[in-house]
Amino acid sequence: MRTLDVTIVGMGACGVAAFAEAVARLRYERDTRVSFQLIERDDPARGLAFGTDQPGHRLNTESRLMGLYDHEAGDYRRWLEAREALEPDSVVYARRSEYRRYLNHVLDRALADAQDAGIAVTQHRDEAVRIDGNPARATVALAGGGQVATNVVLLAIGTPQAERFGDLDGKPGYFDFPWPSERLAKGIARDASVTILGSSLSAIDTLMTLLDEGHEGPVLMASRDGMLPRVEIPSPENGYERRHLTLEAIHRRLRTRGAASRWSIWCGCSGARWRIWSAMRSTGVRWIGAAAMRRRGCERISTRR
C-alpha cells in the first residue's frame, strides 16, 4: 500500500481550503494510506484577513461566490442561509469575522470526515522554521523543537509583508503592514493626518479600520493607478440582455462599412468575448480591456467610433 504523508504549513483560509478539498478527494482512496500534519502557530481557520473583528472589514466578493470547495462556489451561501433568513436573490457582502466562522465550520467538517475515513490527522500549534530533505522525503522543523517527517509539503502562509521603505521601520507614525488592525487602532490618534500608500484591498481595510475607530483627521490614499478593488458579484443566470453590443449589430456594421470602420470595443464581460473577438479579428478593431475602460472613466459597456 502506498503511503502519502501530507504537511500543510499555515491553516488560514488557504490551508483550510486545501485540507478540506484533499480530504474530500482522498477519503475514498483504498490503495493509499494518507495522513496529514497541520501546522499553525495561531488559532486555525483565521489568518490575517479573517482574524479581524473590525465591523467595517467585509468580503469584496458576494456570498454566492465564496465557497471553499472546488466547483462549489455556493457552499458559503448555503451555510449562511442555514443561519439566518435571506431572500433568494439578496446581495450579501459578509463581514470577515462571519466568514471566519464558516472557515471553522469547514475545518471541523473536514476533520470529522477524515476521522470517519480512517485518515490520521495531527494538529501542531507551533511555527515551522525550516524544511530539510529532498523531493522524495522532507523534514519540517518546528520552533518548539519538534520535527515532522513528510513527503508532501504545502506552504499556505499567506501574503508576505512588503519590504519597501525599510529605512522607515521603527520610526514613529510609520506602519509597514495593516495587520493586525489593532496596531492601527491603538497607534494612530483620531485627529492625525494619515497617508495610505495604495488603493487596493488592504488600503480599503486600513481606511475602514480608521473609520470604525472614529477617525476624524484627513486621510489621503496615494496610488499609481488610482483604481479601487474590483467587487465580485454573480452574473445573472440568464445573461445580460444586450441591445447595442450584439453579434448582429457588430456583423451588420462590419458588413456595411468593412475594415474602414475602426471601432474600440469596451467590454467588461468575458462570456461573449471570444465569440465577438473572432468575429472582428479580420477588421480594424481594437480591443480595450476592463482595466483600460475604467482608466478612461467608463463604467458601462459601450461602443464608439
Side-chain angles (χ1 to χ4, degrees):
M1 177 177 289
R2 189 169 70 101
T3 298
L4 180 62
D5 299 320
V6 181
T7 298
I8 301 178
V9 180
M11 286 301 293
C14 291
V16 170
F19 173 63
E21 187 64 29
V23 170
R25 298 188 181 209
L26 295 174
R27 61 185 299 193
Y28 299 111
E29 287 281 342
R30 294 293 178 256
D31 299 327
T32 305
R33 183 189 66 81
V34 183
S35 68
F36 286 91
Q37 305 282 339
L38 310 180
I39 303 173
E40 171 57 56
R41 64 185 179 184
D42 299 313
D43 292 335
R46 288 178 64 91
L48 290 175
F50 303 108
T52 174
D53 289 315
Q54 291 284 346
H57 291 177
R58 292 182 176 268
L59 305 175
N60 74 311
T61 301
E62 208 276 330
S63 60
R64 287 164 287 181
L65 299 176
M66 283 298 296
L68 279 188
Y69 293 104
D70 192 21
H71 304 304
E72 287 189 59
D75 185 65
Y76 172 61
R77 179 65 176 228
R78 289 190 293 271
W79 176 85
L80 198 60
E81 289 175 341
R83 294 170 56 88
E84 57 185 276
L86 296 175
E87 294 294 329
D89 295 325
S90 61
V91 176
V92 178
Y93 293 91
R95 291 181 178 178
R96 303 270 188 85
S97 56
E98 183 71 13
Y99 195 74
R100 182 174 70 238
R101 285 187 273 274
Y102 167 71
L103 293 178
N104 276 280
H105 164 74
V106 172
L107 177 58
D108 291 342
R109 183 165 57 186
L111 289 170
D113 289 344
Q115 184 177 17
D116 291 342
I119 298 175
V121 179
T122 304
Q123 295 180 271
H124 303 268
R125 181 71 178 268
D126 210 332
E127 182 178 10
V129 294
R130 191 178 69 255
I131 301 176
D132 299 313
N134 54 61
R137 195 71 178 169
T139 300
V140 180
L142 305 179
Q147 292 186 334
V148 174
T150 184
N151 50 20
V152 176
V153 178
L154 171 64
L155 297 181
I157 54 179
T159 303
Q161 292 184 220
E163 296 182 354
R164 297 180 181 178
F165 313 112
D167 55 326
L168 295 178
D169 287 344
K171 298 291 181 64
Y174 174 71
F175 297 85
D176 62 342
F177 201 54
W179 307 104
S181 58
E182 289 78 7
R183 290 198 312 156
L184 308 183
K186 296 178 180 178
I188 300 178
R190 289 190 176 185
D191 60 349
S193 175
V194 178
T195 298
I196 302 172
L197 297 185
S199 60
S200 59
L201 292 174
S202 295
I204 298 300
D205 287 339
T206 300
L207 177 61
M208 295 311 301
T209 297
L210 296 175
L211 296 179
D212 285 343
E213 297 298 322
H215 191 81
E216 299 175 350
V219 178
L220 169 68
M221 299 179 71
S223 169
R224 288 180 297 179
D225 55 28
M227 295 174 62
L228 295 174
R230 179 177 178 177
V231 177
E232 302 285 354
I233 190 169
S235 301
E237 292 186 2
N238 295 328
Y240 177 76
E241 183 178 354
R242 301 175 182 85
R243 292 184 299 164
H244 305 292
L245 185 59
T246 64
L247 290 176
E248 179 183 354
I250 292 171
H251 185 272
R252 183 171 60 251
R253 181 93 176 192
L254 297 178
R255 176 173 54 81
T256 57
R257 301 200 181 188
S261 175
R262 295 187 60 85
W263 279 12
S264 294
I265 304 299
W266 294 348
C267 184
C269 55
S270 60
R273 180 169 61 184
W274 294 113
R275 288 191 309 238
I276 296 174
W277 178 244
S278 62
M280 300 186 297
R281 289 183 63 182
S282 60
T283 67
V285 175
R286 286 187 298 136
W287 182 267
I288 297 179
M293 179 180 72
R294 286 191 292 269
R295 286 198 297 271
R296 293 171 183 239
C298 180
E299 298 295 335
R300 298 171 177 263
I301 297 173
S302 61
T303 60
R304 68 176 179 85
R305 290 189 61 182

